[in-house]
């Protein structure tokens, strides 16, 4: 019986993936970075950071808590721009959150929504990031338009979300968070405020 249930689970997951991948790829307005990543920061910033995250990932939540403000400071100072690749390999909760984040990006409020979701991150695989919760989180950062609400409810960006995962896999990204500074991956032990600033400074000095 356990084997049968496991098989049904695998089939169900495959069907869900097929449905996501069969949806049209609708790009949010700010998805102009590498592999249509969502860009935050000035286009002329001398250093480009590629950040691969999953809203359900506990380590991504820890990165946001410890180093998120450092990343924000470097964006605000014009030192970096960030290409956000919001992955969804941890399941439906991640897919819903990534779709909603893309909807927020389309209205120019990705950064605020990203911070709001990580500030109240649910435990993995506990049914978090429900549609109504995501709409409420959006409202808390000023996202109240029918366009945002409908995109969250309808999964407007589900095809885009699937594309992000596919592109990340093609580039060899196997875990989150994965962080690249000017295309050079940062080791996990460098993902601290001081380590991140040092990596940015080194990249900036190389031009």
């Amino acid at each position: 019986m356990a084997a049968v249930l496991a098989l049904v689970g695998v089939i169900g997951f495959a069907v869900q993936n097929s449905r996501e991948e069969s949806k049209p790829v609708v790009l949010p307005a700010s998805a102009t970075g590498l592999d249509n990543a969502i860009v935050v920061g000035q286009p002329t910033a001398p250093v480009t950071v590629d950040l691969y995250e999953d809203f359900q990932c506990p380590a991504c939540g820890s990165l946001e808590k410890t180093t998120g403000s450092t990343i924000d400071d470097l964006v605000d100072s014009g030192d970096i721009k960030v290409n956000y690749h919001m992955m969804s390999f941890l399941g439906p909760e991640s897919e819903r959150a990534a779709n909603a984040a893309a909807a927020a990006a389309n209205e120019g409020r990705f950064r605020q929504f990203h911070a709001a979701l990580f500030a109240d991150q649910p435990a993995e695989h506990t049914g978090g990031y429900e549609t109504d919760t995501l709409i409420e989180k959006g409202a808390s950062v000023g996202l109240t338009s029918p366009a945002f609400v409908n995109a969250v409810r309808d999964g407007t960006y589900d095809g885009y979300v699937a594309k992000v995962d596919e592109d990340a896999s093609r580039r060899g990204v196997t875990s989150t968070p994965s962080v690249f500074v000017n295309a050079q991956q940062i080791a996990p032990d460098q993902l601290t405020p001081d380590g991140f600033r040092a990596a940015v400074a080194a990249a900036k000095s190389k031009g």
Side-chain angles (χ1 to χ4, degrees):
M1 179 63 72
V4 171
L5 290 175
L7 179 59
V8 169
V10 170
I11 292 172
F13 180 73
V15 169
Q16 176 66 21
N17 274 1
S18 176
R19 286 173 181 164
E20 300 302 329
E21 291 168 7
S22 68
K23 289 189 175 182
V25 176
V26 179
L27 300 179
S30 57
T32 58
L34 176 71
D35 292 332
N36 299 118
I38 293 165
V39 180
V40 172
Q42 297 299 319
T44 55
V47 176
T48 299
V49 175
D50 281 276
L51 178 53
Y52 293 81
E53 295 181 305
D54 187 308
F55 280 115
Q56 265 200 108
C57 161
C60 297
S62 295
L63 175 65
E64 176 68 13
K65 287 181 177 66
T66 60
T67 311
S69 61
T70 300
I71 294 172
D72 286 343
D73 288 346
L74 290 168
V75 167
D76 291 339
S77 66
D79 289 299
I80 66 171
K81 65 177 178 289
V82 183
N83 293 332
Y84 282 94
H85 308 257
M86 299 314 302
M87 299 177 67
S88 56
F89 67 93
L90 289 175
E93 299 97 323
S94 301
E95 291 164 7
R96 291 192 296 268
N99 169 69
N106 198 57
E107 301 208 9
R109 299 193 71 80
F110 171 83
R111 191 176 178 183
Q112 297 89 334
F113 190 70
H114 175 275
L117 289 196
F118 274 124
D120 200 16
Q121 184 186 45
E124 241 181 298
H125 303 304
T126 57
Y129 295 135
E130 293 290 354
T131 298
D132 287 343
T133 302
L134 293 166
I135 291 170
E136 290 169 8
K137 283 293 178 189
S140 75
V141 296
L143 289 162
T144 58
S145 71
F148 173 77
V149 172
N150 291 338
V152 175
R153 290 202 183 282
D154 298 341
T156 299
Y157 297 98
D158 284 351
Y160 168 70
V161 169
K163 178 184 183 300
V164 171
D165 273 357
E166 292 165 7
D167 289 339
S169 178
R170 177 170 53 80
R171 289 193 173 274
V173 175
T174 58
S175 62
T176 58
S178 288
V179 183
F180 297 78
V181 176
N182 279 0
Q184 297 297 312
Q185 187 167 12
I186 299 180
D189 61 1
Q190 285 183 282
L191 296 179
T192 63
D194 288 344
F196 185 79
R197 283 188 181 277
V200 169
K204 194 174 181 180
S205 69
K206 292 178 182 177

